mmCIF file of all heavy atoms in Angstrom:
data_model
loop_
_atom_site.group_PDB
_atom_site.id
_atom_site.type_symbol
_atom_site.label_atom_id
_atom_site.label_comp_id
_atom_site.label_asym_id
_atom_site.label_seq_id
_atom_site.Cartn_x
_atom_site.Cartn_y
_atom_site.Cartn_z
ATOM 1 N N VAL A 1383 0.841 -1.206 0.000
ATOM 2 C CA VAL A 1383 0.000 0.000 0.000
ATOM 3 C C VAL A 1383 0.871 1.248 0.000
ATOM 4 O O VAL A 1383 0.619 2.210 -0.739
ATOM 5 C CB VAL A 1383 -0.941 0.002 1.219
ATOM 6 C CG1 VAL A 1383 -1.673 1.338 1.335
ATOM 7 C CG2 VAL A 1383 -1.952 -1.135 1.115
ATOM 8 N N GLY A 1384 1.928 1.242 0.815
ATOM 9 C CA GLY A 1384 2.812 2.397 0.859
ATOM 10 C C GLY A 1384 3.568 2.625 -0.436
ATOM 11 O O GLY A 1384 3.770 3.771 -0.846
ATOM 12 N N LEU A 1385 3.949 1.529 -1.107
ATOM 13 C CA LEU A 1385 4.709 1.660 -2.355
ATOM 14 C C LEU A 1385 3.836 2.113 -3.520
ATOM 15 O O LEU A 1385 4.315 2.790 -4.437
ATOM 16 C CB LEU A 1385 5.375 0.331 -2.697
ATOM 17 C CG LEU A 1385 6.508 -0.125 -1.771
ATOM 18 C CD1 LEU A 1385 6.946 -1.544 -2.128
ATOM 19 C CD2 LEU A 1385 7.691 0.833 -1.858
ATOM 20 N N THR A 1386 2.573 1.722 -3.514
ATOM 21 C CA THR A 1386 1.689 2.053 -4.638
ATOM 22 C C THR A 1386 0.848 3.293 -4.392
ATOM 23 O O THR A 1386 0.113 3.709 -5.290
ATOM 24 C CB THR A 1386 0.744 0.877 -4.941
ATOM 25 O OG1 THR A 1386 -0.022 0.560 -3.760
ATOM 26 C CG2 THR A 1386 1.528 -0.347 -5.373
ATOM 27 N N ARG A 1387 0.929 3.875 -3.197
ATOM 28 C CA ARG A 1387 0.126 5.063 -2.913
ATOM 29 C C ARG A 1387 0.576 6.210 -3.799
ATOM 30 O O ARG A 1387 1.763 6.420 -4.016
ATOM 31 C CB ARG A 1387 0.253 5.461 -1.441
ATOM 32 C CG ARG A 1387 -0.684 6.584 -1.034
ATOM 33 C CD ARG A 1387 -0.604 6.825 0.456
ATOM 34 N NE ARG A 1387 0.677 7.388 0.845
ATOM 35 C CZ ARG A 1387 0.968 8.681 0.823
ATOM 36 N NH1 ARG A 1387 0.055 9.555 0.390
ATOM 37 N NH2 ARG A 1387 2.144 9.117 1.214
ATOM 38 N N ALA A 1388 -0.398 6.944 -4.308
ATOM 39 C CA ALA A 1388 -0.102 8.053 -5.215
ATOM 40 C C ALA A 1388 0.677 9.137 -4.500
ATOM 41 O O ALA A 1388 0.402 9.472 -3.337
ATOM 42 C CB ALA A 1388 -1.405 8.629 -5.783
ATOM 43 N N LYS A 1389 1.664 9.682 -5.180
ATOM 44 C CA LYS A 1389 2.446 10.786 -4.630
ATOM 45 C C LYS A 1389 1.644 12.087 -4.730
ATOM 46 O O LYS A 1389 0.690 12.177 -5.499
ATOM 47 C CB LYS A 1389 3.773 10.921 -5.396
ATOM 48 C CG LYS A 1389 4.593 9.648 -5.414
ATOM 49 C CD LYS A 1389 4.933 9.190 -4.019
ATOM 50 C CE LYS A 1389 5.855 7.982 -4.036
ATOM 51 N NZ LYS A 1389 5.196 6.783 -4.585
ATOM 52 N N PRO A 1390 1.991 13.102 -3.927
ATOM 53 C CA PRO A 1390 1.269 14.393 -4.011
ATOM 54 C C PRO A 1390 1.287 14.947 -5.428
ATOM 55 O O PRO A 1390 2.329 15.050 -6.061
ATOM 56 C CB PRO A 1390 2.065 15.288 -3.048
ATOM 57 C CG PRO A 1390 2.674 14.333 -2.068
ATOM 58 C CD PRO A 1390 3.003 13.096 -2.862
ATOM 59 N N GLY A 1391 0.102 15.287 -5.926
ATOM 60 C CA GLY A 1391 -0.022 15.809 -7.287
ATOM 61 C C GLY A 1391 -0.334 14.750 -8.328
ATOM 62 O O GLY A 1391 -0.712 15.072 -9.446
ATOM 63 N N ASP A 1392 -0.195 13.462 -7.974
ATOM 64 C CA ASP A 1392 -0.466 12.377 -8.915
ATOM 65 C C ASP A 1392 -1.891 11.892 -8.697
ATOM 66 O O ASP A 1392 -2.207 11.315 -7.656
ATOM 67 C CB ASP A 1392 0.522 11.228 -8.700
ATOM 68 C CG ASP A 1392 0.271 10.067 -9.662
ATOM 69 O OD1 ASP A 1392 -0.489 10.255 -10.627
ATOM 70 O OD2 ASP A 1392 0.845 8.984 -9.444
ATOM 71 N N ILE A 1393 -2.780 12.109 -9.661
ATOM 72 C CA ILE A 1393 -4.185 11.712 -9.526
ATOM 73 C C ILE A 1393 -4.572 10.764 -10.666
ATOM 74 O O ILE A 1393 -5.720 10.680 -11.061
ATOM 75 C CB ILE A 1393 -5.121 12.938 -9.522
ATOM 76 C CG1 ILE A 1393 -4.900 13.794 -10.776
ATOM 77 C CG2 ILE A 1393 -4.910 13.773 -8.269
ATOM 78 C CD1 ILE A 1393 -5.880 14.934 -10.920
ATOM 79 N N SER A 1394 -3.580 10.038 -11.196
ATOM 80 C CA SER A 1394 -3.874 9.128 -12.295
ATOM 81 C C SER A 1394 -4.712 7.947 -11.830
ATOM 82 O O SER A 1394 -5.457 7.358 -12.607
ATOM 83 C CB SER A 1394 -2.566 8.633 -12.918
ATOM 84 O OG SER A 1394 -1.767 7.973 -11.939
ATOM 85 N N SER A 1395 -4.602 7.589 -10.554
ATOM 86 C CA SER A 1395 -5.355 6.469 -10.007
ATOM 87 C C SER A 1395 -6.009 6.924 -8.708
ATOM 88 O O SER A 1395 -5.324 7.124 -7.702
ATOM 89 C CB SER A 1395 -4.419 5.272 -9.764
ATOM 90 O OG SER A 1395 -5.100 4.238 -9.102
ATOM 91 N N PHE A 1396 -7.331 7.084 -8.720
ATOM 92 C CA PHE A 1396 -8.022 7.655 -7.564
ATOM 93 C C PHE A 1396 -7.896 6.780 -6.323
ATOM 94 O O PHE A 1396 -7.660 7.281 -5.218
ATOM 95 C CB PHE A 1396 -9.500 7.872 -7.897
ATOM 96 C CG PHE A 1396 -10.340 8.242 -6.702
ATOM 97 C CD1 PHE A 1396 -10.197 9.485 -6.114
ATOM 98 C CD2 PHE A 1396 -11.251 7.352 -6.175
ATOM 99 C CE1 PHE A 1396 -10.955 9.834 -4.992
ATOM 100 C CE2 PHE A 1396 -12.012 7.692 -5.070
ATOM 101 C CZ PHE A 1396 -11.865 8.928 -4.478
ATOM 102 N N LEU A 1397 -8.036 5.455 -6.470
ATOM 103 C CA LEU A 1397 -8.020 4.571 -5.320
ATOM 104 C C LEU A 1397 -6.635 4.415 -4.708
ATOM 105 O O LEU A 1397 -6.501 3.798 -3.652
ATOM 106 C CB LEU A 1397 -8.591 3.202 -5.690
ATOM 107 C CG LEU A 1397 -10.086 3.181 -6.008
ATOM 108 C CD1 LEU A 1397 -10.559 1.778 -6.335
ATOM 109 C CD2 LEU A 1397 -10.901 3.750 -4.847
ATOM 110 N N SER A 1398 -5.605 4.935 -5.348
ATOM 111 C CA SER A 1398 -4.279 4.923 -4.742
ATOM 112 C C SER A 1398 -3.996 6.204 -3.972
ATOM 113 O O SER A 1398 -2.965 6.301 -3.301
ATOM 114 C CB SER A 1398 -3.204 4.728 -5.815
ATOM 115 O OG SER A 1398 -3.198 5.812 -6.722
ATOM 116 N N THR A 1399 -4.890 7.197 -4.055
ATOM 117 C CA THR A 1399 -4.755 8.414 -3.265
ATOM 118 C C THR A 1399 -5.287 8.160 -1.856
ATOM 119 O O THR A 1399 -5.932 7.145 -1.582
ATOM 120 C CB THR A 1399 -5.515 9.572 -3.907
ATOM 121 O OG1 THR A 1399 -6.922 9.246 -3.951
ATOM 122 C CG2 THR A 1399 -5.018 9.833 -5.323
ATOM 123 N N VAL A 1400 -5.028 9.100 -0.958
ATOM 124 C CA VAL A 1400 -5.508 8.947 0.419
ATOM 125 C C VAL A 1400 -7.035 8.861 0.476
ATOM 126 O O VAL A 1400 -7.584 7.976 1.148
ATOM 127 C CB VAL A 1400 -4.982 10.101 1.301
ATOM 128 C CG1 VAL A 1400 -5.623 10.062 2.684
ATOM 129 C CG2 VAL A 1400 -3.468 10.030 1.416
ATOM 130 N N PRO A 1401 -7.801 9.734 -0.218
ATOM 131 C CA PRO A 1401 -9.262 9.566 -0.208
ATOM 132 C C PRO A 1401 -9.714 8.222 -0.772
ATOM 133 O O PRO A 1401 -10.679 7.632 -0.273
ATOM 134 C CB PRO A 1401 -9.758 10.730 -1.072
ATOM 135 C CG PRO A 1401 -8.690 11.752 -0.981
ATOM 136 C CD PRO A 1401 -7.408 10.978 -0.915
ATOM 137 N N GLY A 1402 -9.029 7.730 -1.813
ATOM 138 C CA GLY A 1402 -9.408 6.436 -2.381
ATOM 139 C C GLY A 1402 -9.156 5.291 -1.410
ATOM 140 O O GLY A 1402 -9.993 4.392 -1.257
ATOM 141 N N LEU A 1403 -8.006 5.290 -0.751
ATOM 142 C CA LEU A 1403 -7.704 4.257 0.245
ATOM 143 C C LEU A 1403 -8.668 4.335 1.423
ATOM 144 O O LEU A 1403 -9.073 3.299 1.984
ATOM 145 C CB LEU A 1403 -6.263 4.397 0.726
ATOM 146 C CG LEU A 1403 -5.168 4.150 -0.321
ATOM 147 C CD1 LEU A 1403 -3.797 4.461 0.248
ATOM 148 C CD2 LEU A 1403 -5.210 2.713 -0.835
ATOM 149 N N LEU A 1404 -9.051 5.556 1.788
ATOM 150 C CA LEU A 1404 -10.014 5.713 2.874
ATOM 151 C C LEU A 1404 -11.378 5.157 2.484
ATOM 152 O O LEU A 1404 -12.114 4.667 3.348
ATOM 153 C CB LEU A 1404 -10.132 7.184 3.261
ATOM 154 C CG LEU A 1404 -8.972 7.756 4.079
ATOM 155 C CD1 LEU A 1404 -9.118 9.262 4.234
ATOM 156 C CD2 LEU A 1404 -8.889 7.091 5.446
ATOM 157 N N LYS A 1405 -11.731 5.235 1.203
ATOM 158 C CA LYS A 1405 -12.995 4.643 0.756
ATOM 159 C C LYS A 1405 -13.010 3.143 1.027
ATOM 160 O O LYS A 1405 -14.023 2.580 1.473
ATOM 161 C CB LYS A 1405 -13.206 4.909 -0.732
ATOM 162 C CG LYS A 1405 -13.552 6.353 -1.071
ATOM 163 C CD LYS A 1405 -14.968 6.676 -0.663
ATOM 164 C CE LYS A 1405 -15.353 8.101 -1.046
ATOM 165 N NZ LYS A 1405 -14.656 9.119 -0.263
ATOM 166 N N VAL A 1406 -11.902 2.464 0.754
ATOM 167 C CA VAL A 1406 -11.811 1.024 1.026
ATOM 168 C C VAL A 1406 -11.917 0.773 2.527
ATOM 169 O O VAL A 1406 -12.610 -0.156 2.975
ATOM 170 C CB VAL A 1406 -10.502 0.457 0.465
ATOM 171 C CG1 VAL A 1406 -10.406 -1.041 0.732
ATOM 172 C CG2 VAL A 1406 -10.398 0.724 -1.034
ATOM 173 N N PHE A 1407 -11.233 1.591 3.324
ATOM 174 C CA PHE A 1407 -11.286 1.451 4.780
ATOM 175 C C PHE A 1407 -12.710 1.636 5.291
ATOM 176 O O PHE A 1407 -13.187 0.857 6.135
ATOM 177 C CB PHE A 1407 -10.346 2.468 5.422
ATOM 178 C CG PHE A 1407 -10.369 2.463 6.922
ATOM 179 C CD1 PHE A 1407 -9.594 1.573 7.637
ATOM 180 C CD2 PHE A 1407 -11.169 3.359 7.622
ATOM 181 C CE1 PHE A 1407 -9.617 1.561 9.032
ATOM 182 C CE2 PHE A 1407 -11.199 3.356 9.006
ATOM 183 C CZ PHE A 1407 -10.418 2.458 9.712
ATOM 184 N N GLU A 1408 -13.405 2.643 4.794
ATOM 185 C CA GLU A 1408 -14.765 2.928 5.258
ATOM 186 C C GLU A 1408 -15.712 1.777 4.919
ATOM 187 O O GLU A 1408 -16.549 1.394 5.751
ATOM 188 C CB GLU A 1408 -15.250 4.225 4.617
ATOM 189 C CG GLU A 1408 -14.522 5.468 5.086
ATOM 190 C CD GLU A 1408 -14.531 6.606 4.090
ATOM 191 O OE1 GLU A 1408 -15.185 6.461 3.038
ATOM 192 O OE2 GLU A 1408 -13.881 7.641 4.349
ATOM 193 N N ALA A 1409 -15.583 1.227 3.722
ATOM 194 C CA ALA A 1409 -16.450 0.109 3.338
ATOM 195 C C ALA A 1409 -16.156 -1.126 4.179
ATOM 196 O O ALA A 1409 -17.077 -1.845 4.597
ATOM 197 C CB ALA A 1409 -16.260 -0.203 1.849
ATOM 198 N N TYR A 1410 -14.884 -1.372 4.467
ATOM 199 C CA TYR A 1410 -14.523 -2.552 5.253
ATOM 200 C C TYR A 1410 -15.014 -2.430 6.692
ATOM 201 O O TYR A 1410 -15.556 -3.388 7.258
ATOM 202 C CB TYR A 1410 -13.008 -2.751 5.225
ATOM 203 C CG TYR A 1410 -12.550 -3.961 6.006
ATOM 204 C CD1 TYR A 1410 -12.744 -5.242 5.498
ATOM 205 C CD2 TYR A 1410 -11.934 -3.824 7.243
ATOM 206 C CE1 TYR A 1410 -12.338 -6.356 6.211
ATOM 207 C CE2 TYR A 1410 -11.520 -4.940 7.953
ATOM 208 C CZ TYR A 1410 -11.728 -6.197 7.433
ATOM 209 O OH TYR A 1410 -11.327 -7.303 8.148
ATOM 210 N N VAL A 1411 -14.846 -1.260 7.285
ATOM 211 C CA VAL A 1411 -15.323 -1.055 8.656
ATOM 212 C C VAL A 1411 -16.836 -1.204 8.726
ATOM 213 O O VAL A 1411 -17.376 -1.762 9.687
ATOM 214 C CB VAL A 1411 -14.872 0.325 9.175
ATOM 215 C CG1 VAL A 1411 -15.533 0.645 10.509
ATOM 216 C CG2 VAL A 1411 -13.364 0.369 9.331
ATOM 217 N N ALA A 1412 -17.542 -0.739 7.696
ATOM 218 C CA ALA A 1412 -18.994 -0.917 7.661
ATOM 219 C C ALA A 1412 -19.361 -2.398 7.632
ATOM 220 O O ALA A 1412 -20.324 -2.818 8.289
ATOM 221 C CB ALA A 1412 -19.581 -0.200 6.445
ATOM 222 N N CYS A 1413 -18.595 -3.204 6.898
ATOM 223 C CA CYS A 1413 -18.845 -4.653 6.884
ATOM 224 C C CYS A 1413 -18.640 -5.260 8.268
ATOM 225 O O CYS A 1413 -19.403 -6.149 8.693
ATOM 226 C CB CYS A 1413 -17.929 -5.331 5.868
ATOM 227 S SG CYS A 1413 -18.298 -4.967 4.145
ATOM 228 N N LEU A 1414 -17.614 -4.812 8.986
ATOM 229 C CA LEU A 1414 -17.407 -5.293 10.356
ATOM 230 C C LEU A 1414 -18.570 -4.894 11.258
ATOM 231 O O LEU A 1414 -18.996 -5.675 12.117
ATOM 232 C CB LEU A 1414 -16.094 -4.732 10.917
ATOM 233 C CG LEU A 1414 -14.797 -5.191 10.249
ATOM 234 C CD1 LEU A 1414 -13.591 -4.555 10.939
ATOM 235 C CD2 LEU A 1414 -14.665 -6.709 10.288
ATOM 236 N N ILE A 1415 -19.094 -3.689 11.049
ATOM 237 C CA ILE A 1415 -20.248 -3.258 11.841
ATOM 238 C C ILE A 1415 -21.443 -4.163 11.573
ATOM 239 O O ILE A 1415 -22.141 -4.591 12.505
ATOM 240 C CB ILE A 1415 -20.586 -1.784 11.528
ATOM 241 C CG1 ILE A 1415 -19.492 -0.856 12.057
ATOM 242 C CG2 ILE A 1415 -21.939 -1.400 12.128
ATOM 243 C CD1 ILE A 1415 -19.695 0.601 11.695
ATOM 244 N N PHE A 1416 -21.691 -4.483 10.305
ATOM 245 C CA PHE A 1416 -22.822 -5.359 9.970
ATOM 246 C C PHE A 1416 -22.680 -6.723 10.632
ATOM 247 O O PHE A 1416 -23.676 -7.336 11.025
ATOM 248 C CB PHE A 1416 -22.924 -5.528 8.450
ATOM 249 C CG PHE A 1416 -23.278 -4.260 7.726
ATOM 250 C CD1 PHE A 1416 -22.744 -3.998 6.465
ATOM 251 C CD2 PHE A 1416 -24.140 -3.340 8.274
ATOM 252 C CE1 PHE A 1416 -23.062 -2.833 5.789
ATOM 253 C CE2 PHE A 1416 -24.468 -2.167 7.610
ATOM 254 C CZ PHE A 1416 -23.925 -1.914 6.362
ATOM 255 N N SER A 1417 -21.446 -7.225 10.739
ATOM 256 C CA SER A 1417 -21.236 -8.545 11.341
ATOM 257 C C SER A 1417 -21.536 -8.550 12.839
ATOM 258 O O SER A 1417 -21.740 -9.628 13.420
ATOM 259 C CB SER A 1417 -19.798 -9.007 11.105
ATOM 260 O OG SER A 1417 -18.875 -8.208 11.831
ATOM 261 N N LEU A 1418 -21.560 -7.378 13.476
ATOM 262 C CA LEU A 1418 -21.805 -7.298 14.922
ATOM 263 C C LEU A 1418 -23.237 -6.880 15.264
ATOM 264 O O LEU A 1418 -23.614 -6.930 16.434
ATOM 265 C CB LEU A 1418 -20.831 -6.301 15.560
ATOM 266 C CG LEU A 1418 -19.349 -6.674 15.508
ATOM 267 C CD1 LEU A 1418 -18.498 -5.551 16.102
ATOM 268 C CD2 LEU A 1418 -19.077 -7.973 16.251
ATOM 269 N N LEU A 1419 -24.014 -6.464 14.282
ATOM 270 C CA LEU A 1419 -25.381 -6.034 14.557
ATOM 271 C C LEU A 1419 -26.242 -7.234 14.921
ATOM 272 O O LEU A 1419 -26.177 -8.279 14.284
ATOM 273 C CB LEU A 1419 -25.973 -5.317 13.339
ATOM 274 C CG LEU A 1419 -25.350 -3.976 12.955
ATOM 275 C CD1 LEU A 1419 -25.986 -3.446 11.674
ATOM 276 C CD2 LEU A 1419 -25.505 -2.962 14.074
ATOM 277 N N ASP A 1420 -27.073 -7.077 15.951
ATOM 278 C CA ASP A 1420 -27.981 -8.170 16.312
ATOM 279 C C ASP A 1420 -29.403 -7.653 16.547
ATOM 280 O O ASP A 1420 -30.293 -7.887 15.745
ATOM 281 C CB ASP A 1420 -27.456 -8.935 17.536
ATOM 282 C CG ASP A 1420 -27.081 -8.013 18.688
ATOM 283 O OD1 ASP A 1420 -27.354 -6.811 18.589
ATOM 284 O OD2 ASP A 1420 -26.540 -8.503 19.686
ATOM 285 N N SER A 1421 -29.631 -6.915 17.619
ATOM 286 C CA SER A 1421 -30.992 -6.484 17.961
ATOM 287 C C SER A 1421 -31.095 -4.966 17.890
ATOM 288 O O SER A 1421 -30.422 -4.251 18.637
ATOM 289 C CB SER A 1421 -31.360 -6.961 19.382
ATOM 290 O OG SER A 1421 -30.439 -6.466 20.319
ATOM 291 N N TYR A 1422 -31.928 -4.498 16.977
ATOM 292 C CA TYR A 1422 -32.169 -3.065 16.853
ATOM 293 C C TYR A 1422 -33.596 -2.772 16.400
ATOM 294 O O TYR A 1422 -33.957 -1.613 16.204
ATOM 295 C CB TYR A 1422 -31.189 -2.442 15.862
ATOM 296 C CG TYR A 1422 -31.168 -3.106 14.498
ATOM 297 C CD1 TYR A 1422 -32.075 -2.736 13.510
ATOM 298 C CD2 TYR A 1422 -30.266 -4.119 14.208
ATOM 299 C CE1 TYR A 1422 -32.076 -3.342 12.277
ATOM 300 C CE2 TYR A 1422 -30.255 -4.729 12.969
ATOM 301 C CZ TYR A 1422 -31.157 -4.340 12.006
ATOM 302 O OH TYR A 1422 -31.152 -4.969 10.783
ATOM 303 N N ASN A 1423 -34.405 -3.802 16.234
ATOM 304 C CA ASN A 1423 -35.788 -3.599 15.777
ATOM 305 C C ASN A 1423 -36.624 -2.961 16.886
ATOM 306 O O ASN A 1423 -36.462 -3.258 18.072
ATOM 307 C CB ASN A 1423 -36.417 -4.940 15.374
ATOM 308 C CG ASN A 1423 -35.758 -5.519 14.133
ATOM 309 O OD1 ASN A 1423 -35.326 -4.775 13.262
ATOM 310 N ND2 ASN A 1423 -35.670 -6.832 14.054
ATOM 311 N N GLY A 1424 -37.535 -2.105 16.473
ATOM 312 C CA GLY A 1424 -38.454 -1.480 17.420
ATOM 313 C C GLY A 1424 -37.933 -0.226 18.067
ATOM 314 O O GLY A 1424 -38.667 0.436 18.803
ATOM 315 N N ILE A 1425 -36.681 0.133 17.822
ATOM 316 C CA ILE A 1425 -36.106 1.341 18.403
ATOM 317 C C ILE A 1425 -35.704 2.258 17.250
ATOM 318 O O ILE A 1425 -34.800 1.937 16.473
ATOM 319 C CB ILE A 1425 -34.895 1.025 19.287
ATOM 320 C CG1 ILE A 1425 -35.285 0.021 20.383
ATOM 321 C CG2 ILE A 1425 -34.332 2.292 19.909
ATOM 322 C CD1 ILE A 1425 -34.129 -0.402 21.265
ATOM 323 N N ALA A 1426 -36.387 3.387 17.133
ATOM 324 C CA ALA A 1426 -36.180 4.265 15.977
ATOM 325 C C ALA A 1426 -34.744 4.781 15.906
ATOM 326 O O ALA A 1426 -34.166 4.878 14.818
ATOM 327 C CB ALA A 1426 -37.161 5.436 16.046
ATOM 328 N N GLY A 1427 -34.153 5.115 17.042
ATOM 329 C CA GLY A 1427 -32.786 5.626 17.042
ATOM 330 C C GLY A 1427 -31.784 4.622 16.503
ATOM 331 O O GLY A 1427 -30.894 4.974 15.716
#
């Protein structure tokens, strides 16, 4: 990841930039959240 990360000013590959890598992180963390969800029905919050 460190070797392929885009250098400052290089936007040829979006997913190799910091925002692109963060997109992968955000999706993965959401999957971990789904794996831990159990009871939430009946509570609007």
Side-chain angles (χ1 to χ4, degrees):
V1383 172
L1385 292 173
T1386 58
R1387 187 174 69 85
K1389 304 301 185 293
D1392 180 13
I1393 55 174
S1394 59
S1395 174
F1396 170 71
L1397 292 181
S1398 63
T1399 62
V1400 172
L1403 295 174
L1404 285 172
K1405 288 287 182 291
V1406 181
F1407 177 85
E1408 292 154 4
Y1410 181 74
V1411 171
C1413 291
L1414 295 181
I1415 291 175
F1416 294 145
S1417 68
L1418 295 176
L1419 293 176
D1420 50 7
S1421 58
Y1422 54 85
N1423 293 327
I1425 304 177

